[in-house]
Amino acid sequence: MATSVAKGAAVTTAITDDRPVILQVLHRMGVGGAEVLVDRMVRNMSDRFQFVIACLDEVGTLGEGLRTDGVQVVDLKRGPGLDLQCARRLGQLANKIGADLIHCHQYTPYFYGVTARGIFGRLPIVFTEHGRHHPDQRKWKRVLFNRIADRSSDRVIGVGEAVKRALVANEGFHEKRVGVIYNGVPLAPIMEATADREGVRREFDVPQNGKIIIQVARLDYLKDHITAVRAVRELTTSDALVYWLVVGDGPERAAIEREIQTLGVENVRLAGERSDVPRLLRASDVMLLSSISEGIPLTLIEGMAAELPIVSTSVGGVCEVVQTEKHGCLVPASEPSRMSEQLKRVLVTPGLATQFGQAGRERAIQMFDEKKMHQHYRELYDDAV
């Protein structure tokens, strides 16, 4: 792997061996779906490609980990508003390392990647859209920019069919130019993790006969934990042995804590960011996702690999991961009573959780193994370069 650099510094190390150089561009390398995907790509595809990571806003936890392991991770220190100097620094970085391809994750990094390439630039760009904002609306300025910026050597990827449809309808990309590569996760660490039910319950002060609803998601408004708080309140008023274990951190933590306190919900455990998610999944009873917008959520795939029944909102690409009444139950977004009803149904109906969990595990293996995803990106890189 490439040589690491000091925090916030420009890259001083050019790439010298024969592997194609892929410059990954993201907002930051914190703990999130796109960031985990990039982290895994770098760690598992370096036999064929050399990777350098450019973060527009900050390095983040995963970025620091990659730096420790010898990967060049650069903080471009983007300023507020439209920062053309940031685009210039990105272009200089691409030239310095001799990048063969820029892979941009989410739309803003794509915008800066295209701007860094310049009007007459030939450097191919791969743009992967991992999810959509809410509400998802068509913006004519974006459509015009995307039509002008697109090159025949570029590749546009949605992580699911719902994301692809949004890229065509709301971003103006031509349908034939947009492909789909489903997100994948490393399944073996989850399926082989120890089911430490007793230990996890002791750690989080949950009775040994208590049921754990686990939610693994960044504490962001798009994940709508507030609806989950209200659903859990309804559920725990009739069943005091149900506990909600929330794994993740983010800007909405204070608002979530206020809602928990206001509603007097006691059976909640805010675990923060964790490095032992497979262990927590294997100790839980149901996986919950309350988002108002999603691409292909990795957390649901992880839950299915752990044989957990799923209760999730039916948004974005969730329906491409979970088939309702086969792998779990899907409910409308922002409806806590419907969510509470389905959580209770899965917890109390004999055999239903096991039925959903076993079917979900098989679907995760068939469709969402990261080895398949990596192979698709290898082929994409080879073709683009």
Side-chain angles (χ1 to χ4, degrees):
M1 293 186 181
T3 305
S4 62
V5 295
K7 184 174 182 179
V11 169
T12 57
T13 304
I15 306 299
T16 56
D17 71 29
D18 293 332
R19 290 173 294 165
V21 180
I22 311 299
L23 176 58
Q24 302 276 358
V25 185
L26 307 92
H27 283 280
R28 61 186 59 82
M29 278 296 289
V31 180
E35 295 82 1
V36 169
L37 181 148
V38 171
D39 180 82
R40 296 291 301 174
M41 289 175 69
V42 171
R43 296 183 184 280
N44 289 277
M45 295 171 58
S46 291
D47 60 326
R48 176 72 181 87
F49 306 99
Q50 294 188 84
F51 293 97
V52 175
I53 297 176
C55 300
L56 298 181
D57 302 321
E58 61 178 333
V59 172
T61 303
L62 294 179
E64 294 291 359
L66 286 169
R67 276 182 170 176
T68 299
D69 293 336
V71 180
Q72 293 190 87
V73 182
V74 180
D75 183 357
L76 293 175
K77 298 185 180 299
R78 179 170 64 126
L82 175 60
D83 186 355
L84 294 179
Q85 291 303 310
C86 178
R88 183 182 63 82
R89 291 192 293 273
L90 179 58
Q92 290 174 339
L93 171 61
N95 289 333
K96 179 66 176 180
I97 64 174
D100 295 289
L101 181 148
I102 301 177
H103 189 171
C104 304
H105 300 266
Q106 307 290 33
Y107 186 82
T108 298
Y110 169 69
F111 172 82
Y112 276 90
V114 169
T115 305
R117 176 174 64 183
I119 297 175
F120 303 107
R122 299 292 183 182
L123 188 63
I125 290 177
V126 172
F127 165 36
T128 296
E129 178 71 287
H130 294 268
R132 304 294 299 172
H133 288 289
H134 180 82
D136 195 350
Q137 299 173 333
R138 186 179 177 92
K139 298 178 180 178
W140 69 266
K141 289 183 180 180
R142 273 198 184 187
V143 171
L144 181 61
F145 176 84
N146 296 337
R147 293 281 175 87
I148 294 173
D150 193 25
R151 301 281 191 276
S152 61
S153 59
D154 294 344
R155 304 291 186 272
V156 180
I157 299 296
V159 297
E161 292 294 339
V163 176
K164 175 181 177 176
R165 289 193 295 270
L167 287 169
V168 174
N170 292 342
E171 302 292 353
F173 290 103
H174 294 288
E175 185 173 8
K176 293 182 179 180
R177 300 278 293 122
V178 184
V180 172
I181 298 179
Y182 280 112
N183 283 343
V185 302
L187 301 179
I190 299 171
M191 295 188 293
E192 296 170 3
T194 302
D196 185 16
R197 293 180 65 86
E198 292 184 5
V200 169
R201 279 159 178 74
R202 281 196 303 270
E203 179 180 352
F204 291 102
D205 191 26
V206 173
Q208 290 300 319
N209 60 341
K211 299 288 187 179
I212 293 179
I213 300 168
I214 189 169
Q215 185 162 359
V216 183
R218 176 172 164 78
L219 306 188
D220 183 272
Y221 82 99
L222 287 175
K223 305 301 180 182
D224 193 16
H225 288 79
I226 299 300
T227 290
V229 174
R230 295 168 183 171
V232 170
R233 178 181 183 247
E234 291 187 28
L235 184 61
T236 55
T237 54
S238 61
D239 191 343
L241 289 176
V242 175
Y243 289 77
W244 182 38
L245 178 59
V246 183
V247 180
D249 211 340
E252 290 296 301
R253 185 182 182 102
I256 295 165
E257 290 176 337
R258 284 196 300 271
E259 188 73 4
I260 291 169
Q261 185 175 12
T262 299
L263 297 180
V265 187
E266 296 182 353
N267 292 7
V268 179
R269 303 294 184 264
L270 299 179
E273 292 183 354
R274 300 280 297 205
S275 60
D276 61 344
V277 171
R279 169 176 170 264
L280 301 181
L281 290 172
R282 292 297 304 277
S284 300
D285 298 281
V286 181
M287 166 156 275
L288 174 63
L289 189 67
S290 52
S291 301
I292 59 174
S293 180
E294 282 289 350
I296 297 294
L298 300 181
T299 184
L300 290 188
I301 300 170
E302 292 171 343
M304 293 162 75
E307 293 191 61
L308 291 179
I310 305 298
V311 175
S312 173
T313 49
S314 179
V315 297
V318 168
C319 297
E320 298 174 56
V321 179
V322 178
Q323 296 176 332
T324 193
E325 298 304 321
K326 187 170 183 179
H327 313 112
C329 305
L330 301 183
V331 299
S334 306
E335 293 194 17
S337 293
R338 294 282 297 276
M339 188 176 292
S340 178
E341 289 171 3
Q342 294 306 318
L343 285 168
K344 183 176 182 178
R345 173 172 168 249
V346 171
L347 287 169
V348 303
T349 304
L352 188 61
T354 300
Q355 174 188 325
F356 286 162
Q358 291 177 348
R361 180 179 182 273
E362 292 304 312
R363 183 167 177 82
I365 293 171
Q366 292 171 5
M367 289 193 63
F368 302 110
D369 190 331
E370 75 168 2
K371 294 178 182 177
K372 295 180 180 179
M373 178 189 70
H374 289 165
Q375 182 58 37
H376 287 311
Y377 276 112
R378 285 175 185 268
E379 294 169 357
L380 184 69
Y381 286 170
D382 284 333
D383 181 55
V385 170

